Amino acid sequence: MTQPTSLTLTDFRSYAGASLALSGQPLVLFGVNGAGKTNVLEGLSLFTPGKGLRGATAAEIGRREPGEAVGRAWAVALTLQTADGEAKLGTGVQAAGAARRVVRIDGETAQPGRLLDFLRPVWATPEQDRLFSDARAARLRFFDRLVFAANPDHAATVAVYEKALRERLRLLTEGAEGRAADPLWLDALEQRLAEAGARAAIARASALTALQTAIDARADRPFPQADLGLDGEAERLAGEGAQEADLIGLIGEGLARSRGRDAAAGRSLYGPHRSDLTALHREKNRPAAEGSSGEQKALALNLILAQATRLKGAEALGDAAPVLLLDEAPAHLDAGRRAALFDEIAALGLPAVMTGTERPLFETLEGRAQFVQVAGGALQEA
């Protein structure tokens, strides 16, 4: 399996330049709040399609000195040891304030989707400590990342759907302002939406089944188990075995019916983008959304560990490595669950990076992890 061996950050967030040799053990980054620990995780999260764990645009990421209006050109480089030898991945922008990031593999420009041939990052951030009670859209994005970590085509499907959704809404709102929307173009967009929406619903339903199986296999672990669900008509029918053609018809008809309502509301009120990930705390038999931050974090971590376990054993990934990125990993966890989390990560043998404010929080990983102190824009082995 692919193993990262070195990381370099150049004019990235708080780092003018920093390099780190990676030992192959879990990596623990510790330092005071604001030191730049999460920036390292964000850099690693960019080795996948999309905007990374902060959802930032490429133009927002470059380092700025006082008085500089835009961020500098920035880069993140990662060297990997693969089954075929060494590979070099890089991503960044080539000019200050540039809006589009470039991906390079062994020096050659590549499509972002090619990164998934090497790495499948999965992350958890403090913002997800109340994952099940926060905004629906954030939960769906979280779940979609879990889906395309195992099924890269899902990322492209969602991108096609979201682009067509924006174009359809633009046409509808122009019509609401007195400019007639082209019905033929609306028909074409809704057909594209229905096709992409049906594929997305099928992929989500399949991933949900696989994740629930992985969660159920973890009954002996000291983390609460969740019974997952997808609140969405298309996903429900896909889970019941509906054929793609039937789902295309269902979604297309629903979109056509909702044109007037969507135009009046100025937003799209029907479609698979309105679906939601639900979870029931099995032991307490109550919605996860009603739990404390600690309970929700423990449920989410169990889900992420189940995801990592199923990805590690997935033949479809080939040599690609699941990578765990856990920001403020010890927060809201008692000592027993912290130790259990670290034991599982060490046992999985997957690339993993965790952050925390103090080294003693990770004391049960001493001798089994690489410790790096983050301070003053530098990464120092400790």
Side-chain angles (χ1 to χ4, degrees):
M1 184 174 288
T2 295
Q3 182 66 49
T5 57
S6 70
L7 171 69
T8 301
L9 306 169
T10 305
D11 280 324
F12 182 87
R13 294 291 191 185
S14 56
Y15 296 93
S19 295
L20 184 64
L22 303 173
S23 70
Q25 295 178 306
L27 173 63
V28 174
L29 303 172
F30 67 95
V32 298
N33 290 329
K37 304 182 298 294
T38 305
N39 294 343
V40 178
L41 295 190
E42 182 182 23
L44 290 166
S45 76
L46 293 172
F47 289 103
T48 189
K51 293 182 178 180
L53 63 81
R54 278 196 175 108
T57 66
E60 296 172 326
I61 292 174
R63 187 174 68 90
R64 296 186 190 187
E65 290 285 359
E68 291 181 334
V70 297
R72 299 183 177 192
W74 58 269
V76 184
L78 192 65
T79 303
L80 308 167
Q81 189 62 44
T82 77
D84 297 320
E86 188 176 81
K88 295 182 180 294
L89 309 184
T91 189
V93 299
Q94 297 173 298
R100 180 176 177 273
R101 71 180 175 104
V102 176
V103 169
R104 289 201 171 91
I105 298 175
D106 291 329
E108 300 292 329
T109 302
Q111 291 297 314
R114 283 284 318 284
L115 293 169
L116 296 173
D117 293 340
F118 300 88
L119 300 172
R120 305 289 176 92
V122 179
W123 58 80
T125 67
E127 288 74 21
Q128 293 165 356
D129 287 355
R130 296 197 65 84
L131 173 70
F132 299 107
S133 57
D134 282 346
R136 173 202 55 78
R139 268 190 306 281
L140 188 61
R141 285 194 299 271
F142 169 83
F143 185 67
D144 276 336
R145 285 198 303 271
L146 298 183
V147 177
F148 80 67
N151 177 4
D153 291 343
H154 183 66
T157 298
V158 171
V160 168
Y161 181 91
E162 290 179 345
K163 180 180 179 183
L165 194 69
R166 290 192 297 270
E167 292 179 5
R168 173 182 177 271
L169 185 60
R170 178 179 57 80
L171 285 178
L172 289 174
T173 52
E174 285 178 353
E177 295 169 0
R179 288 169 286 178
D182 182 346
L184 292 179
W185 184 226
L186 276 173
D187 287 344
L189 284 173
E190 287 173 356
Q191 179 65 22
R192 193 183 308 166
L193 277 166
E195 291 171 354
R199 291 195 299 272
I202 291 170
R204 288 170 181 164
S206 176
L208 187 82
T209 299
L211 279 168
Q212 189 64 65
T213 299
I215 289 171
D216 292 346
R218 296 173 50 77
D220 60 335
R221 312 299 167 89
F223 288 93
Q225 291 183 292
D227 291 321
L228 302 177
L230 282 168
D231 184 5
E233 183 181 27
E235 286 84 1
R236 176 180 60 79
L237 292 172
E240 294 172 357
Q243 297 300 302
E244 183 175 336
D246 295 328
L247 294 174
I248 291 172
L250 172 81
I251 297 169
E253 290 169 6
L255 289 166
R257 286 195 307 270
S258 69
R259 287 180 185 180
R261 186 176 61 152
D262 291 354
R267 56 196 180 103
S268 302
L269 298 170
Y270 174 83
H273 63 285
R274 303 286 301 174
S275 298
D276 193 7
L277 173 68
T278 65
L280 184 74
H281 190 302
R282 185 178 298 173
E283 182 182 0
K284 296 188 174 181
N285 192 32
R286 71 180 188 188
E290 297 177 1
S292 66
S293 295
E295 287 178 329
Q296 291 192 46
K297 177 162 188 167
L299 285 164
L301 282 173
N302 198 34
L303 173 56
I304 287 170
L305 290 168
Q307 166 83 340
T309 302
R310 85 179 183 101
L311 290 180
K312 183 179 180 181
E315 292 184 7
L317 266 66
D319 195 40
V323 180
L324 290 171
L325 306 175
L326 305 180
D327 197 15
E328 296 299 334
H332 300 303
L333 296 179
D334 58 34
R337 281 187 177 154
R338 283 203 305 271
L341 171 65
F342 302 153
D343 284 347
E344 287 205 50
I345 288 172
L348 278 169
L350 298 174
V353 185
M354 294 167 280
T355 70
T357 55
E358 300 174 347
R359 180 167 182 158
L361 291 169
F362 300 89
E363 62 182 354
T364 61
L365 272 176
E366 293 289 350
R368 299 185 294 166
Q370 178 182 6
F371 285 83
V372 171
Q373 185 167 17
V374 182
L379 304 173
Q380 182 66 47
E381 292 255 14

